[in-house]
Amino acid sequence: MAVTVRPAVAADIVVIMSFVRALADYEKLLHEVEATEADLAGHLFCETPRLFCDIAEQDGAPVGFAIWFYNYSTFRGRHGIYLEDLFVVPEARGLGAGKALLRALAQRCEAQGLARLEWAVLNWNAPAIAFYDGLGAGAQTEWTVRRLTDQALVSLARS
């Protein structure tokens, strides 16, 4: 049973939101999900989207997704892809859906002359880390991700 990857369409929004919630639950972050179907649909399926989603299917049934956007490297002088979310339903893990989603993004990078494909992984997520290591994805240990949100973001904006 081959896994196929296709771009998401507006009719996929319920499935996409279910994958977002399932990923958040797996990452123990379900309490942080504020996005709604309308929020995601408004960004994914607008006239000029800046957010994109690919769906992995097995026998025509959605089994996973990748949500991504373009970033830019001033050092490389080219765009790249930042993978925001990658999720495969537990019962489909090991069937190649995750690799198929990443392969599709790597193929997009190659076809468009993009410099890199990058993402973040939680330090405790050993299965994901092992999967990424198996693909040859190197950890960027010299970088620490920093983030401003909520009141800290507002405080800086108003200072």
Side-chain angles (χ1 to χ4, degrees):
M1 311 294 173
V3 173
T4 59
V5 175
R6 64 170 176 79
V9 296
D12 293 317
I13 198 61
V14 172
V15 168
I16 293 168
M17 193 68 217
S18 73
F19 287 159
V20 168
R21 290 187 176 286
L23 174 61
D25 187 46
Y26 174 77
E27 292 182 341
K28 301 171 182 64
L29 297 170
L30 188 57
H31 62 282
E32 292 189 17
V33 176
E34 298 175 11
T36 65
E37 290 175 9
D39 292 331
L40 290 176
H43 293 287
L44 288 167
F45 308 116
C46 61
E47 187 174 320
T48 55
R50 291 183 282 175
L51 183 68
F52 306 92
C53 181
D54 294 328
I55 302 287
E57 293 182 329
Q58 183 183 28
D59 297 329
V63 295
F65 81 140
I67 291 187
W68 58 275
F69 54 88
Y70 291 99
N71 59 12
Y72 189 81
S73 169
T74 55
F75 289 8
R76 302 285 303 269
R78 294 184 292 169
H79 283 93
I81 287 178
Y82 187 84
L83 174 62
E84 180 65 24
D85 289 330
L86 178 72
F87 179 75
V88 174
V89 296
E91 56 272 18
R93 292 180 188 155
L95 301 177
K99 187 173 183 179
L101 287 161
L102 286 168
R103 182 184 306 112
L105 291 173
Q107 289 169 342
R108 179 179 298 276
C109 288
E110 184 179 35
Q112 296 179 4
L114 306 179
R116 60 188 175 202
L117 170 59
E118 61 189 353
W119 61 91
V121 60
L122 290 166
N123 291 332
W124 60 260
N125 194 345
I129 292 168
F131 170 67
Y132 299 142
D133 286 348
L135 296 175
Q140 299 296 298
T141 57
E142 65 276 6
W143 297 90
T144 300
V145 176
R146 305 297 285 218
R147 180 179 294 164
L148 284 171
T149 61
D150 303 323
Q151 190 55 49
L153 180 62
V154 171
S155 293
L156 178 60
R158 294 180 183 174
S159 66

